[in-house]
Amino acid sequence: MSATAAADRTNVYQRAAQALRNTRLGEAVRRTTDKFRFARHRAVAGLDDFEALREHARSIRAHTISHLDYYLAQLAGHVEAAGGHVFFAQTAEDAVEYVLEVARRHNVRTVVKSKSMISEEVELNPRLAASGIEAIETDLGEYIVQLGNDRPSHLIAPSLHKSREEVAELFSQLAGEKLSADTPTLTRFARAKLREAFLEADMGITGCNFAVAETGTICLVTNEGNGRMVTSLPRVQVTLMGMERLVPTLEDLDIMLQLLPRSATGQKLSVYTSLITGPRRAGEADGPEELHLVIVDNGRSKLLGTPYQEALHCIRCSACQNVCPVYRHIGGHAYGWVYGGPIGAVITPLLRDVADWGELAQASSLCGACAEVCPVKIPLHDMLIGLRKDTQAVRAASWEERLLFRLWTKVMASPKGFRRALAAARMLQAPLVRAGRWRWAPPPLSQWIAERELPAVASRSFRDWWRERAASSTGTKAAGVRPAAKAHTTPRGGSRP
Amino acid sequence: MRVALLVTCLVDAFYPGVGQSTVRVLERLGVSVDFPERQTCCGQPAFNSGFHDEARIVAAGLLDAFAESECVVSPSGSCVAMVRHYLPKLFAGTPRETDARALADRTYELCEFLVRRLGVVDVGARFPARVVYHASCHGWRGLGLREEPLLLLRHVQGLELVDLPYMEDCCGFGGTFAVKFAPLSAAMGRAKEAHAAATGAQVLTGTDMSCLMHLDGTMRRQGSPMRVMHIAEILDQTVDGAEALGVAAASEEVAV
């Protein structure tokens, strides 16, 4: 469970190649992300002025994050005024310790959890288990992931890398009988199992989609109602939130709730949107006796005041994952930590360590699809370029790459260098290219030709042609006089050496 | 009208025919074309890889090359996106920042130039073939190049333009990504190829030779019968040109 890539020594290149070989994984990921992205597309098209809404949301996030200390203090004040407890956790360890302490105080034996990426980030579950506390994930996807001793691979659909058959297998093991792989059977089974857990649990642990500073309200968005159960049945509620996950007012929350479900699953509204302010009050029918809000920094404040501050605007909708061609081929685990896809490639090095995790920024074709769909307009692909640069400042690129770019700079610095390089390339390629096809190439071109053909450098470059043409036209170079296209007999002449 | 051609290093070295087509299409429309020979590369490979000092050295040459040009046109959405969006950032706070901004303001991708600046959608081309258009990322998203290439293709005589499913999904080229994540890049290329093949098109076209080099290389390795052509090459086709190309359906129609 806690086998994050910090422990395993693979790099992202190896993990990506390995994930790619698992064709079932790629198919499962593309199937679900396709469903999400096309639904998102329809939902967004159905809005009068999506761009205006997006810009509004961006400005709310920008304002909030640039006044984070003010709004966090306001939030804490209102949570406490409503009878809740607030704890600021500087590190993952602080957050975990606090939760364990609360659990010990209440003699907690069983915990039910609703989906929370931050609890994955601080690695809460293994620590609960080590303290003899049974924690049960109640989001269906998380439940599947937990049963498989696996990790979530997507922000909102944690088990999307698993096929229905794999889920049936897991559930059958637990049931002690063979269950069929149809959705009603599987969900009925999970529902029965989870219902027992809800009734038994002493503590409910949730994540937090948004906290509202002006009221001290915690907003949970779910489709299964499990969030509501986790926060109404157990005696104690603990909510973990990343320190950036807040909005100033309920009005701002309204804007975010228009964007989050649409960007995530294409829904106009999630099935359950729960607003929780404080523990149960006198006369109320349900709710916890005690409520704790754990606000987790864990590296986030490092981003404040840097060119990457906007990464804290993220509302974890997963739209960038769903459109990312890299994520769609390799899934989330290949990124090595809890956050996959473009936002993961950006925040993992920033929250953890650029020297160790900066290589994630390479796992992108810089296609920009992520930034295009981001509901709060985070320039993710520009941040990836920035991270590629920053990574080099703390950890030099490979000597091969440095040599290559030194050579490239020499070649490209002047037309003379360029001409010479073309001449050299023509000589060097002559024995290697047959019928326009490279038989062998040195690295890094060997990587290219492993699965693709590579064209040869043209025997006559464009600049050669231009010079010859200028020489032959000897001053009669009038536009449109040349006979059209007749000379153009080798349209892709470049592919023939 | 007079324009300077930013031919791109890739076209210059590997695909001179694309540069020639660009020149001919522009000249056919009465635009006079200049090719400042000082140009080499826009610096994007180094910039995207995090080698910004190196990128600055090379891109400075581009600023020099086009210092006198009123209007710069290039058959690459990617290089134009580099010039327009990233050179001003790359040179920010240096003595050449103004030059970079000025060049960014007067550099156009070919289709963008034809449709938006010249107001031309019919360049007088004829190319009887079934064609799919792949929207390269830096043109589609970087420059917002949406309708321009499609308008130009729809006005080519005899050309049947068919929709490419997942048109705006990345082909997997991605510059150094293509070698750093070679298996992944190749898999993305094959996905694009499969989508193109499903349309029954004879030709796949686009605005960027980098993506097209990757896709052409993928298709050749897969033994695909599909041809890959830059949009400038299609716009360059007249009746005679189509014959010379020898695209199956085209030759059936125009063969005498």
Side-chain angles (χ1 to χ4, degrees), chain A residues 177-210:
Chain A
E177 60 170 316
K178 176 97 186 115
L179 298 177
S180 82
D182 61 292
T183 307
T185 306
L186 296 177
T187 49
R188 199 180 308 123
F189 174 77
R191 193 182 166 86
K193 277 277 165 203
L194 292 174
R195 189 55 56 119
E196 291 167 22
F198 284 128
L199 293 169
E200 206 175 285
D202 313 298
M203 179 191 267
I205 296 181
T206 78
C208 173
N209 291 101
F210 299 102

Side-chain angles (χ1 to χ4, degrees), chain B residues 3-86:
Chain B
V3 304
L5 175 66
L6 164 55
V7 80
T8 80
C9 56
L10 190 77
V11 165
D12 199 350
F14 292 96
Y15 300 100
V18 173
Q20 293 163 23
S21 288
T22 306
V23 172
R24 278 192 293 267
V25 169
L26 288 167
E27 288 183 348
R28 204 162 68 211
L29 296 168
V31 177
S32 136
V33 182
D34 182 27
F35 177 72
E37 290 193 46
R38 172 67 188 82
Q39 65 181 283
T40 58
C41 170
C42 64
Q44 185 172 191
F47 180 76
N48 282 358
S49 302
F51 290 82
H52 290 198
D53 293 337
E54 290 80 353
R56 214 173 283 115
I57 292 170
V58 169
L62 203 75
L63 299 183
D64 294 339
F66 294 102
E68 306 294 320
S69 312
E70 281 168 44
C71 178
V72 180
V73 175
S74 177
S76 164
S78 188
C79 303
V80 172
M82 176 70 194
V83 171
R84 191 174 296 171
H85 299 313
Y86 296 110

Side-chain angles (χ1 to χ4, degrees), chain A residues 216-231:
Chain A
T217 302
I218 294 158
C219 174
L220 294 182
V221 175
T222 77
N223 275 321
E224 296 164 19
N226 62 312
R228 192 82 192 94
M229 302 285 271
V230 167
T231 55

